[in-house]
Amino acid sequence: MQYQIPKGLFDILPYSKEEWTISSKWHYLEKIIKKLSIDYNYEEIRTPIFEKTELFTRGVGESSDIVHKELYTFLDKAKREMSLRPEGTASIMRAFIENSLLQERKTHKFFYIGPMFRYDRPQAGRYRQHHQFGVEVIGEKCVEIDFEIIDLLLNLFKRLELKNLKLLINSVGDLESRENYKNALLKYLKPYFNNLSEDSKMRFESNPLRILDSKDLNDIKIVENAPSILEFLSEGSKTHFDNLLALLKKAKIEFEVNPKLVRGLDYYDDVVFEVVSNDLGAQSSLGGGGRYGTLLKNLGGPNLSGVGFACGMERILQLMVKQNVFFPKKNYPFVYIIPMGEKAKEYSIFLTRELRNHFIPTEIDLHVSKLQKALAYASKIEAANVLIIGDEELEKQKFSFKNLETRNQEELSLENIKIEIQKKYLKYKERHA
Ligand code: AMP
């Protein structure tokens, strides 16, 4: 019997025809993310991949799709209802409150990387397990922080050399603005109620703003002329939004204000934003986020505002592959040892061990039949160099060391072989840092 991976999942593999699933590419993305986070002074937070279901229904909101329709819920052996996390923010707020982190810093700046789970219809760019990189800032209401996280997200894409992206931005206002707007929106939608999609009919009561976000073509037509939320912003929300746009303009960051952008989660207020790419097909959103003023309080924590974003690592890697951006070469093994003969093999095993102990990535071919074949294999696995050790060379105490990239070949003597290889490796590391 052959087992198959459940629908909507994928493997991340050391080698694969599907380039975006190659683990060394994921490592590169993770490396860039971690350095970027350090540059902006964000510290890593890791929370469990499952929590009590209640946290998500209360935190993310019952009317959001990811809780209402897409939650992976199960009963544990004590019949407690648990769910795989569909997003990161609710768990981070829980951890923040539970571990009393409040006193530790003036402002809390976290980043996270990890898998999220959503029972959605799988398609290109949409999976039942996907990975997100996200940040959250807690305890800072000022507009400069909204600016900082937008800049951070765009800087990630810049460091990855992604092109043709669009920043969409909107304000969904504070509670007061939204209440006023909801009334106006419901009044506008009422005559069209019977023509709305089933989902939107449900949202009419529970969360009418989400109707603006509907992907249903008929709904899109209906909301085309709906009133704009930007006309209903309270004084405070309007100033906050205007100040943010002014900062973006000063920084020469291009954006498009889209009054229909409300995003899928219930907890946002004031600024929301999204980065999209036309190169991604139907699932065009690379990442997005916004401000949440009441989430922490709703979860039993202090009355502090937060702001954050999450972006999808699968889509980022898919776009990187599509746009043919630079990926560093996998830099191991640095030495591929090819022993030609029994004595040479025994010597090579111990040399391999010693090189590894000196932190030099090394592999040994344990079954050499023909030199040509061994060389071809070394190229295939992307080894940087080969070291050929024959019984005869062992006696002469001279080995041939070949750089597979430059094809440059030289003789190394047994005496200083380790030092020579170490020197070469240090140089190589400098070039491939
Ligand atoms: P969201 O929490 O829905 O705003 O998602 C944040 C980002 O995660 C999106 O912009 C996507 O890039 C990515 N994402 C969300 N859901 C999925 C999914 N089912 N499969 C792959 N990526 C996803």
Side-chain angles (χ1 to χ4, degrees):
M1 156 129 190
Q2 235 195 353
Y3 291 101
Q4 280 177 343
I5 193 165
K7 216 171 134 186
L9 306 187
F10 61 91
D11 296 308
I12 298 173
L13 302 162
Y15 24 88
S16 161
K17 287 200 178 68
E18 194 70 84
E19 275 190 67
W20 65 270
T21 64
I22 295 178
S23 47
S24 60
K25 294 194 159 44
W26 283 76
H27 295 161
Y28 172 59
L29 174 57
E30 285 157 16
K31 187 173 134 190
I32 299 275
I33 286 173
K34 285 183 183 161
K35 177 68 174 86
L36 181 82
S37 301
I38 290 172
D39 291 348
Y40 283 73
N41 194 32
Y42 286 65
E43 294 183 86
E44 186 174 9
I45 183 162
R46 298 186 192 188
T47 61
I49 60 163
F50 71 90
E51 301 264 359
K52 292 182 183 155
T53 300
E54 237 176 277
L55 175 70
F56 301 121
T57 43
R58 185 146 186 108
V60 184
E62 233 148 338
S63 74
S64 68
D65 282 355
I66 63 172
V67 167
H68 178 66
K69 294 187 192 159
E70 299 167 10
L71 219 47
Y72 269 95
T73 297
F74 60 95
L75 289 179
D76 72 5
K77 287 198 196 295
K79 304 255 180 306
R80 284 174 293 231
E81 231 189 52
M82 302 287 172
S83 293
L84 298 181
R85 62 180 183 194
E87 55 100 64
T89 308
S91 310
I92 291 170
M93 297 306 123
R94 196 255 323 125
F96 177 79
I97 299 167
E98 194 172 354
N99 295 290
S100 312
L101 299 186
L102 178 63
Q103 312 306 331
E104 301 292 327
R105 298 279 187 280
K106 259 196 325 192
T107 310
H108 306 265
K109 309 211 302 185
F110 303 122
F111 84 89
Y112 61 93
I113 295 178
M116 305 295 162
F117 306 85
R118 299 178 182 184
Y119 192 89
D120 200 354
R121 210 160 22 84
Q123 63 179 81
R126 197 206 275 155
Y127 308 94
R128 288 184 173 168
Q129 171 177 310
H130 72 280
H131 298 75
Q132 291 187 356
F133 157 56
V135 307
E136 310 289 351
V137 183
I138 303 172
E140 187 59 83
K141 221 175 164 174
C142 70
V143 72
E144 286 80 5
I145 285 290
D146 299 5
F147 173 75
E148 177 176 293
I149 67 162
I150 292 175
D151 179 52
L152 193 162
L153 181 61
L154 294 175
N155 205 351
L156 169 67
F157 298 140
K158 191 165 146 203
R159 289 189 187 187
L160 297 171
E161 299 179 3
L162 289 172
K163 296 176 291 279
N164 305 329
L165 304 177
K166 196 154 50 172
L167 169 66
L168 305 175
I169 192 160
N170 189 25
S171 173
V172 291
D174 52 16
L175 220 64
E176 179 197 332
S177 326
R178 274 201 306 281
E179 276 314 309
N180 291 336
Y181 177 62
K182 259 185 210 170
N183 290 335
L185 181 64
L186 289 175
K187 202 165 147 204
Y188 168 83
L189 287 173
K190 210 160 187 190
Y192 302 103
F193 182 83
N194 288 329
N195 299 331
L196 287 172
S197 66
E198 287 311 308
D199 274 347
S200 290
K201 276 183 188 150
M202 263 164 42
R203 288 178 184 140
F204 194 84
E205 290 292 333
S206 61
N207 192 349
L209 257 70
R210 290 288 322 280
I211 299 176
L212 298 175
D213 203 26
S214 170
K215 302 281 174 284
D216 181 274
L217 290 180
N218 206 33
D219 288 351
I220 292 176
K221 248 195 228 147
I222 293 174
V223 299
E224 213 163 80
N225 296 315
S228 160
I229 187 151
L230 296 175
E231 312 282 318
F232 290 80
L233 294 185
S234 68
E235 197 64 30
S237 286
K238 185 168 169 9
T239 309
H240 189 96
F241 192 50
D242 288 346
N243 288 346
L244 175 60
L245 299 189
L247 267 180
L248 291 171
K249 273 185 201 150
K250 256 200 187 145
K252 298 200 167 46
I253 293 176
E254 284 179 31
F255 59 85
E256 187 181 303
V257 174
N258 179 348
K260 299 223 163 57
L261 180 71
V262 293
R263 301 198 29 83
L265 316 180
D266 285 1
Y267 50 61
Y268 287 117
D269 48 21
D270 278 317
V271 179
V272 289
F273 60 92
E274 201 158 291
V275 176
V276 296
S277 160
N278 281 335
D279 292 343
L280 277 173
Q283 301 303 317
S284 63
S285 164
L286 272 182
R291 183 162 278 285
Y292 41 91
T294 49
L295 177 60
L296 256 182
K297 196 158 165 253
N298 281 347
L299 292 174
N303 189 10
L304 287 176
S305 181
V307 63
F309 70 70
C311 54
M313 293 169 72
E314 289 74 11
R315 291 187 199 169
I316 292 176
L317 281 160
Q318 286 169 353
L319 195 62
M320 287 166 75
V321 169
K322 188 152 192 198
Q323 294 190 352
N324 218 355
V325 306
F326 164 84
F327 279 102
K329 268 185 75 168
K330 183 180 74 133
N331 61 0
Y332 57 89
F334 181 67
V335 192
Y336 188 79
I337 300 185
I338 306 178
M340 309 285 300
E342 278 313 302
K343 258 203 223 141
K345 185 167 165 184
E346 191 184 308
Y347 174 80
S348 299
I349 287 168
F350 290 98
L351 179 62
T352 302
R353 183 166 180 250
E354 246 179 282
L355 291 178
R356 286 172 177 166
N357 280 341
H358 282 79
F359 306 98
I360 297 168
T362 308
E363 182 58 291
I364 176 171
D365 192 330
L366 292 171
H367 302 284
V368 182
S369 58
K370 287 205 179 85
L371 179 60
Q372 279 317 316
K373 267 196 179 166
L375 286 171
Y377 188 74
S379 295
K380 181 178 163 162
I381 68 165
E382 295 175 61
N385 303 282
V386 289
L387 181 66
I388 303 163
I389 301 182
D391 288 347
E392 224 171 275
E393 283 96 336
L394 200 55
E395 248 147 58
K396 284 197 232 144
Q397 308 215 327
K398 283 209 179 329
F399 310 128
S400 99
F401 186 86
K402 186 173 177 182
N403 182 319
L404 289 179
E405 202 177 4
T406 61
R407 303 267 138 200
N408 192 29
Q409 191 159 339
E410 62 189 295
E411 296 238 297
L412 297 184
S413 71
L414 180 71
E415 218 171 38
N416 48 14
I417 190 164
K418 270 168 278 175
I419 293 173
E420 282 298 316
I421 293 181
Q422 218 165 9
K423 266 200 239 155
K424 286 178 191 302
Y425 184 53
L426 286 179
K427 256 197 213 155
Y428 177 86
K429 271 215 316 203
E430 263 168 38
R431 267 187 290 123
H432 292 80

